[in-house]
Amino acid sequence: MKNRMLAKTCLPPMPAILLFLMWLAMPALAMEPEGPHLGVASCAGSTCHGATSPVAGVNVQLNEYVTWVRQDRHAKAYEALLSEQSKRIAHNLGIGEAHTAKICLDCHADNPAAAMRGPILQISEGIGCEGCHGGAQNWLSSHTAGPPRADNVARGMTATEDPVARATLCLSCHFGNQDKFVTHRMMGAGHPRMSFELNTFTQLQPAHFVVDEDYQKRKGVIPDAKLWAIGQAVTAHEHMTVLADSKRNRDGLFPEFVLFDCHSCHTPMSSKNWMPRNNGVRIPGMPHVNDSSLVMLQVLTNVLDPALGKAIAAKTQALHGEGSKGMAQLSTAAGDLRELTARMVTKFAGSPFDGKVIKAMIRGLVQAGLDGAYSDYSNAEQAAMAIDTLVAAMRTEKTASEKELQNLARALDAVFAATAKDEAYQPARFNAALTGVRAALGG
Ligand code: HEC
Ligand code: HEC
Ligand code: HEC
Ligand code: HEC
């Protein structure tokens, strides 16, 4: 799994209600449909974003291109389609060549419809600037003059500084959306398993922006912990949306397996690992829905709004219990959770994430494990990234002593060691590491 031990923070606050309404109106992230995509070369001029090192006296770095092309995996995403692994996947699926197949290019390149392509856009560039920032035609000439951010966004620039818009953007590829999706068929053909956590992945992406004083003035700050929380709410919302949709959650005879916990099917018969959950429903011999983000949301809401926490716990139980009886019941239970998760986005946007709240959340994450909630690898993986994020927040916001942070860093090593390999995952070992975290947390 992915992890990063040290964090710097900071993303901006958002006018929650407005953004929430925009979010409900998805897939349109921006107020105006985005314009055609012009290609990385249109951004990377030497006096634009193609400087060789950061330029002083300007708001932004201006060497974003160099950072992206040298360090960022998104610049290599198209190349990945030329690999032996991709050849095998494409062969197994019978889709011709991976690097010309739309289903692959939609996530491994900036691949707009033909009418939305400028003359010099190269698909082989991979996920270029506009793959995240939106097609530039309608704002390319004006954005250099430094108009208010809102004007650019109104012309189709993605509001990447806004956590909901960012989560939706990243998840469109790191989970999938209405238009593109990694199905279990693709997994079966050899596509790697995917996992995502918004704050961790934001930190892992080589930064081509600096959250300095000027940035904060222009775009504001959002703490790591809040970014994690909002990312979980949006992830659960997207997951429940697919689960509730009888067309998308269906592949012939079966539901779409990708929405279920991978290791509830993929375990050797000799492992004898099955165990009940103290606080949830588990049926032996039945695959169960991947509930990793729902479990994270329970921990979050137990601290911020216990009534909501109870509601989500009850609905998650219904998802596993009632939902195991048939597709109609599963769809109803997922639909209920979808409603709840939509409410959480606004809840989190307006909640404090101070030192006390963060400590309570770490304790909650530990307790959930001891209650059996991390019998699945994917849940343990999310819990590990969450604790890492929260400890990083304690460091940034100086709500713990240096000694406490050192102890926590050591305890985190054990947490990561216990989640390093999905197929070797042992819940008991992970829970022992969690107990270490609790001890390191002090009083
Ligand atoms: C919904 C988006 C999506 C689709 C569709 C998709 N991928 Fe991916 N793919 C990803 C993401 C995201 C990753 C990176 C996962 C990670 O590292 O967390 C990835 C990783 C990979 C990797 C591993 C890359 C590496 O550097 O190790 C290969 C190979 C790959 N994809 C091939 C394909 C092929 C071939 C297709 C078409 C059949 C395809 N993908 C379709 C999103 C997608
Ligand atoms: C995988 C997504 C992704 C890709 C690809 C990407 N960016 Fe970004 N970019 C972001 C995110 C996220 C931020 C931070 C949020 C923000 O400030 O809007 C950001 C911020 C920026 C900023 C704002 C810095 C500031 O101080 O306001 C600039 C400028 C920028 N990117 C330029 C580029 C250029 C040029 C490229 C292509 C060479 C590129 N980006 C590629 C996601 C991406
Ligand atoms: C257009 C699809 C797309 C979008 C949008 C996108 N990604 Fe990715 N991302 C990918 C693919 C595909 C890969 C794998 C590339 C490879 O390894 O070849 C990837 C890889 C990554 C990696 C490297 C993971 C690793 O294994 O080391 C990080 C980190 C990441 N993305 C973060 C983000 C973040 C944060 C956002 C949102 C700001 C985002 N991505 C948006 C498709 C996308
Ligand atoms: C409901 C049960 C179920 C779930 C859940 C499930 N799978 Fe599968 N998986 C299967 C079956 C059945 C096969 C086909 C086995 C065969 O062809 O022999 C398979 C095949 C595979 C293969 C190919 C293995 C091989 O031998 O080549 C991969 C890789 C895979 N799944 C990955 C995943 C991932 C990743 C997830 C979670 C996102 C997942 N699976 C969830 C049942 C499941």
Side-chain angles (χ1 to χ4, degrees), residues 88 184 187-188 193 257-258 260-262 264-266 287:
R88 180 173 173 264
H184 186 261
M187 299 287 182
R193 188 182 71 89
F257 288 171
V258 133
F260 289 73
D261 183 68
C262 311
S264 64
C265 292
H266 292 284

Side-chain angles (χ1 to χ4, degrees), residues 103 107-108 172-177 180-188 191-194 256-259:
I103 58 166
C107 289
H108 283 262
S172 72
C173 296
H174 286 269
F175 173 71
N177 67 11
K180 47 193 184 182
F181 202 68
V182 177
T183 59
H184 186 261
R185 284 189 191 217
M186 290 189 208
M187 299 287 182
H191 197 281
R193 188 182 71 89
M194 303 217 284
E256 173 50 64
F257 288 171
V258 133
L259 305 169

Side-chain angles (χ1 to χ4, degrees), residues 2 71-81 104-111 126-128 130-133 160 165-174 180 191-192 194-206 208-209:
K2 318 283 188 302
Q71 301 173 33
D72 198 315
R73 298 294 312 161
H74 297 106
K76 306 278 185 292
Y78 173 88
E79 268 169 61
L81 298 181
C104 307
L105 288 170
D106 280 351
C107 289
H108 283 262
D110 183 15
N111 189 38
I127 301 161
E130 294 161 289
C132 287
H133 291 289
T160 34
R166 182 185 310 175
T168 309
L169 167 73
C170 308
L171 284 166
S172 72
C173 296
H174 286 269
K180 47 193 184 182
H191 197 281
M194 303 217 284
S195 71
F196 186 76
E197 191 278 289
L198 182 58
N199 186 63
T200 302
F201 274 63
T202 294
Q203 301 293 338
L204 279 174
Q205 188 189 354
H208 57 274
F209 58 95

Side-chain angles (χ1 to χ4, degrees), residues 31-368:
M31 292 155 213
E32 209 177 83
E34 59 172 316
H37 293 227
L38 304 179
V40 172
S42 314
C43 313
S46 58
T47 56
C48 302
H49 297 288
T52 47
S53 53
V55 176
V58 209
N59 285 341
V60 304
Q61 300 278 92
L62 291 184
N63 70 334
E64 293 86 0
Y65 170 75
V66 172
T67 306
W68 171 82
V69 80
R70 289 199 188 144
Q71 301 173 33
D72 198 315
R73 298 294 312 161
H74 297 106
K76 306 278 185 292
Y78 173 88
E79 268 169 61
L81 298 181
L82 302 169
S83 68
E84 286 308 314
Q85 187 182 2
S86 284
K87 284 193 181 123
R88 180 173 173 264
I89 298 171
H91 176 77
N92 288 346
L93 290 169
I95 56 170
E97 292 190 304
H99 67 281
T100 54
K102 179 172 157 47
I103 58 166
C104 307
L105 288 170
D106 280 351
C107 289
H108 283 262
D110 183 15
N111 189 38
M116 294 290 281
R117 291 184 192 187
I120 60 165
L121 173 74
Q122 300 285 331
I123 298 301
S124 59
E125 287 162 356
I127 301 161
C129 319
E130 294 161 289
C132 287
H133 291 289
Q137 177 147 304
N138 300 345
W139 49 261
L140 184 67
S141 56
S142 62
H143 87 290
T144 50
R149 175 80 176 154
D151 286 8
N152 293 325
V153 172
R155 290 200 185 93
M157 193 186 263
T158 312
T160 34
E161 77 280 21
D162 162 55
V164 177
R166 182 185 310 175
T168 309
L169 167 73
C170 308
L171 284 166
S172 72
C173 296
H174 286 269
F175 173 71
N177 67 11
Q178 198 80 11
D179 308 316
K180 47 193 184 182
F181 202 68
V182 177
T183 59
H184 186 261
R185 284 189 191 217
M186 290 189 208
M187 299 287 182
H191 197 281
R193 188 182 71 89
M194 303 217 284
S195 71
F196 186 76
E197 191 278 289
L198 182 58
N199 186 63
T200 302
F201 274 63
T202 294
Q203 301 293 338
L204 279 174
Q205 188 189 354
H208 57 274
F209 58 95
V210 180
V211 185
D212 53 13
E213 217 175 289
D214 159 73
Y215 182 101
Q216 295 185 26
K217 228 183 266 158
R218 286 181 292 117
K219 291 177 163 172
V221 184
I222 238 201
D224 278 356
K226 192 174 278 194
L227 192 61
W228 164 62
I230 291 174
Q232 291 298 327
V234 178
T235 303
H237 189 271
E238 297 298 302
H239 190 178
M240 293 304 118
T241 301
V242 190
L243 208 55
D245 183 337
S246 58
K247 288 200 191 73
R248 291 174 72 194
N249 177 18
R250 197 81 205 165
D251 186 2
L253 187 58
F254 296 106
E256 173 50 64
F257 288 171
V258 133
L259 305 169
F260 289 73
D261 183 68
C262 311
H263 304 95
S264 64
C265 292
H266 292 284
T267 324
M269 278 185 257
S270 59
S271 73
K272 307 275 186 291
N273 252 341
W274 190 87
M275 59 186 209
R277 268 199 195 176
N278 295 347
N279 63 348
V281 175
R282 274 287 178 277
I283 305 170
M286 272 265 210
H288 47 264
V289 171
N290 177 340
D291 64 1
S292 53
S293 54
L294 296 172
V295 168
M296 295 301 108
L297 291 176
Q298 276 173 44
V299 170
L300 273 155
T301 46
N302 279 341
V303 175
L304 295 173
D305 181 347
L308 197 52
K310 279 212 176 90
I312 196 141
K315 299 282 181 201
T316 304
Q317 288 227 23
L319 184 76
H320 292 307
E322 278 304 298
S324 67
K325 294 179 180 161
M327 287 303 270
Q329 290 91 329
L330 182 63
S331 176
T332 306
D336 286 352
L337 277 162
R338 184 177 189 270
E339 299 287 316
L340 276 184
T341 52
R343 271 183 23 215
M344 279 177 208
V345 174
T346 27
K347 175 89 213 162
F348 296 155
S351 293
F353 283 82
D354 58 23
K356 234 175 91 195
V357 163
I358 285 174
K359 269 197 174 178
M361 283 175 180
I362 299 180
R363 285 184 206 288
L365 286 162
V366 170
Q367 192 55 49

